[in-house]
Amino acid sequence: MEKIALITDSTCGLPVEYIYKYNIHVVRLKIIYKDREYIDGITISADEVYSKIEEELPTTSMPSVQDVSDLYEKLILEGYTHAIVMPISSGLSGTINSFRLASLEYENKITSFIFDTKILSMAVGLSVIEIGKLIEEGKDFNYICNIIPKLRENTSMYFTVDTLEYLIKGGRIGKVTGSVGQLLNLKPIITMSDDGTYTNYSKVRGSKKAFNELVKLATDILDKGKGKLVIMTGTMHEEAEKLKSILSTHKNVTFTHVGTITPAVGIHSGPRLLAIAILTEI
């Protein structure tokens, strides 16, 4: 009889209630300061990181192969026969490689399906929740693995940042483009490319227009059919709630969640980020 483990990493930003409800296993990234190290979401919170980010910008470290191997050992002891792994995009982190290398060590004991999501944060989380439901319903491993690419195809993600400073520092946006953007008060609307890296969807002038563009993008998607909506931010909570109040009334919204991006994401994007992700029905 199959026993399927559902695994993601801490950049996913899944609310605790879903982690417990669907018994989701979360492998944590590390937040590293000059003189100390923390476990993302466990020994340091998002609010703690963002409140001190002007004093020191920490770095992140992906889970090691040993971290993942330790999880596999635990899963095998608990009788799991299969594992479905949904990590952050390979275009943004090497986390997926730790899963791949560790899974090879245990391929004779547990069968793994490791999916390159090509997205991040709760855009991944929406699919993780759906997979959790399928496991709970007793769907078999192969059935679920075949559904996962379809979930990804039906997922859209867009975000804007109040400042390009962090994307420039992290090398995730061209320095020249970034400098010009800062000078002209241009706000990028960013989405994910086919290879799972950030790509510029459009640019608008000013925060208000960026907000309105997110509303328009979400509305255009939802006008075509029912979908689940998540809104994520680091510290722009007022704007996130305003976005929710506008979009949650759309007749095709079946689920709404507003959350805070984990430090492992916010360090690289900056906390003043506003993101939407929508999973439309298959």
Side-chain angles (χ1 to χ4, degrees), residues 4-9 65 68-69 71-72 75 82-90 93-107 110-118 131 141 144-145 148-149:
I4 305 170
L6 178 52
I7 306 169
T8 188
D9 63 68
V65 176
V68 183
S69 294
L71 173 59
Y72 268 89
L75 294 175
H82 296 74
I84 292 173
V85 185
M86 300 286 291
I88 184 174
S89 169
S90 64
S93 171
T95 296
I96 195 170
N97 294 324
S98 293
F99 283 111
R100 285 170 173 163
L101 289 169
S103 69
L104 290 174
E105 296 179 31
Y106 298 94
E107 61 184 347
I110 190 165
T111 302
S112 296
F113 178 73
I114 301 170
F115 183 72
D116 190 352
T117 62
K118 305 289 181 72
I131 295 164
F141 181 73
I144 298 171
C145 292
I148 290 171

Side-chain angles (χ1 to χ4, degrees), residues 103-203:
S103 69
L104 290 174
E105 296 179 31
Y106 298 94
E107 61 184 347
N108 293 328
K109 296 181 179 178
I110 190 165
T111 302
S112 296
F113 178 73
I114 301 170
F115 183 72
D116 190 352
T117 62
K118 305 289 181 72
I119 43 177
L120 74 160
S121 191
M122 272 298 288
V124 176
L126 282 169
S127 286
V128 171
I129 292 169
E130 293 306 304
I131 295 164
K133 291 176 183 176
L134 293 172
I135 293 172
E136 186 178 63
E137 291 168 6
K139 303 297 186 186
D140 66 54
F141 181 73
N142 288 333
Y143 175 88
I144 298 171
C145 292
N146 287 329
I147 289 286
I148 290 171
K150 297 173 186 175
L151 291 171
R152 175 60 188 92
E153 287 171 16
N154 284 40
T155 302
S156 302
M157 175 184 171
Y158 298 93
F159 71 93
T160 188
V161 289
D162 200 47
T163 173
L164 297 169
E165 174 189 356
Y166 298 93
L167 289 172
I168 295 169
K169 285 179 178 178
R172 300 187 190 273
I173 190 170
K175 290 185 178 180
V176 174
T177 302
S179 300
V180 171
Q182 298 279 64
L183 187 65
L184 298 177
N185 191 30
L186 292 176
K187 305 297 181 186
I189 305 298
I190 299 167
T191 188
M192 304 304 294
S193 65
D194 291 340
D195 63 358
T197 57
Y198 295 144
T199 187
N200 191 60
Y201 176 80
S202 65
K203 291 178 185 175

Side-chain angles (χ1 to χ4, degrees), residues 201 213-225 250:
Y201 176 80
E213 182 68 7
L214 290 180
V215 172
K216 181 181 182 302
L217 286 166
T219 302
D220 287 347
I221 294 167
L222 291 165
D223 281 347
K224 296 173 185 174
H250 194 289

